[in-house]
Amino acid sequence: MNVGTKVALVVATTAVCVAAAIGVLVHRITAGNQLATARTDLDRQLLSAAYDYAAARKSPARVDPPNLPGPVAEAVRQGVRVTYLQTGGTHPVLWAATRVSDRNVLVLSRSYAPEAQSLADLDRTLVATGAAATVVASLTGLVLGVRMGRRATAAARTAERIAHGELGARVAPDGRDEIARLAVSVNTMADALSARLEAERRVTADIAHELRTPVTSMATASGLLPPGPASQLMAAGVRRLRTLVEDVLEVARLDADAAVVECEPRQMSAMARRAVTGLEAVEVRVVRDAVVTTDPRRVERILTNLAANALRHGAPPVLVEVAGPEVCVRDDGPGFPPELLAVLHASGPQRFRTGSPAGGTGLGLTIAVGQARLIGARLSFRNRPEGGAEAVLRLPAGEPGSGCTGT
């Protein structure tokens, strides 16, 4: 149930309670005043009739009527002048009685139907007024609630967009209430987050740029060493370090939206085969080939990263299957850990996190997802029922809005 509905229900319930309380109070006060006035008037008439009876003058009062209500007769026998409203019959009747001798009772009575009808009319008016007030209050509460709900929903959606990487999203504050303060807080948080991430990007890019020169020098120096196990070990370490530096630079370029897409028509099978060149225990199977307009370097980088990730964290053999504009990379390993798969589905891979006990830098999937987003492709991850991990890359095949315009 959204905020608008809740506010409308609260306002409607409050309006009903207030209208009912006011209606009951007005009914009781009016009924009491009517009865008190009628009793006073009939009692005054009874006193006048008693004087007429004592003076032997004609009077509308009756003496010892047979239909005198029991409570009236009991009160009069005790010497009390009484007025009594009799209900339960066809019409209510108001009685007034007093003793005029040891054996005689003087009685006046009249119909109380006009007052009862007046009270019923008042009740209908109160119900109609209360219903109208409830409807108006409910509609007002619904309008206010819907407006509050929309503002809160807009703030929540903006926060979700920021959480998914759209750091330029902002909420337009409206008013001076708590929701407006929430909008300002979300904007402040987004500004602070953007500034922090930008500072981290700059530091990452600067460090990677500074490392390129010493890594190049190390690569040159390792090539001058005499052949042997030590030189091979150093060369392998330098190659790994160079790959890491290039990966960090690539992530920095993707984060800064500084990458340039260069598109051209290419066969999917050719890009898949080029991507896995040099990787052992990787098989390419072409179910159906297709020509797509895309950036071949980025597609090959995505497939290389997926296949290398499958070899490193899965188990050979690794199968790269081409089916038109879709490429599926499978391995026979234990699959993605459940916690990592939940992160992949929720917000994409997190850099420097692999989910594997073996460790690793964890930049491969980050770069693959960034490259796929850049060329307008879709990249999904899942575990196969029969075992093993599966990553599926689907290219847009040159559709409008795919990120490629062709050359």
Side-chain angles (χ1 to χ4, degrees), residues 85-246:
L85 178 63
Q86 182 183 27
T87 58
T90 306
H91 299 289
V93 178
L94 184 64
W95 297 82
T98 186
R99 291 184 67 86
V100 291
S101 66
D102 293 338
R103 291 182 299 176
N104 299 118
V105 176
L106 189 66
V107 177
L108 278 176
S109 65
R110 73 173 181 84
S111 173
Y112 197 72
E115 286 82 357
Q117 182 62 42
S118 176
L119 194 60
D121 293 340
L122 176 63
D123 289 341
R124 284 191 291 270
T125 301
L126 289 174
V127 170
T129 304
T134 301
V135 171
V136 172
S138 300
L139 291 177
T140 303
L142 181 60
V143 171
L144 293 176
V146 168
R147 185 170 179 269
M148 292 173 58
R150 286 178 179 174
R151 293 167 61 199
T153 301
R157 289 177 177 172
T158 302
E160 292 173 356
R161 290 165 58 193
I162 294 171
H164 285 85
E166 193 177 339
L167 299 180
R170 295 293 183 273
V171 187
D174 183 14
R176 298 182 180 179
D177 53 10
E178 288 77 5
I179 297 180
R181 291 177 58 190
L182 173 63
V184 173
S185 299
V186 170
N187 292 341
T188 303
M189 177 200 67
D191 293 337
L193 182 62
S194 299
R196 181 174 179 179
L197 291 178
E198 184 60 29
E200 291 180 357
R201 289 169 185 167
R202 288 201 190 99
V203 171
T204 302
D206 291 344
I207 292 174
H209 277 293
E210 292 295 330
L211 286 175
R212 294 186 79 175
T213 299
V215 168
T216 302
S217 300
M218 291 172 62
T220 303
S222 65
L224 299 177
L225 293 175
S231 63
Q232 292 177 359
L233 183 62
M234 183 175 180
V238 170
R239 283 196 300 270
R240 184 175 179 182
L241 183 58
R242 173 179 284 178
T243 300
L244 175 59
V245 171
E246 293 299 327

Side-chain angles (χ1 to χ4, degrees), residues 54-80:
R57 290 194 294 267
K58 186 177 181 180
S59 169
R62 294 176 293 167
V63 178
D64 297 325
N67 60 342
L68 184 67
V72 176
E74 180 68 22
V76 170
R77 278 196 298 268
Q78 297 177 5
V80 177

Side-chain angles (χ1 to χ4, degrees), residues 268 288 321-328 382 392-395:
M268 288 296 302
R288 178 170 55 88
E321 185 178 270
V322 179
E326 184 175 286
V327 183
C328 182
R382 59 176 176 262
V392 180
L393 173 68
R394 181 171 182 81
L395 298 177

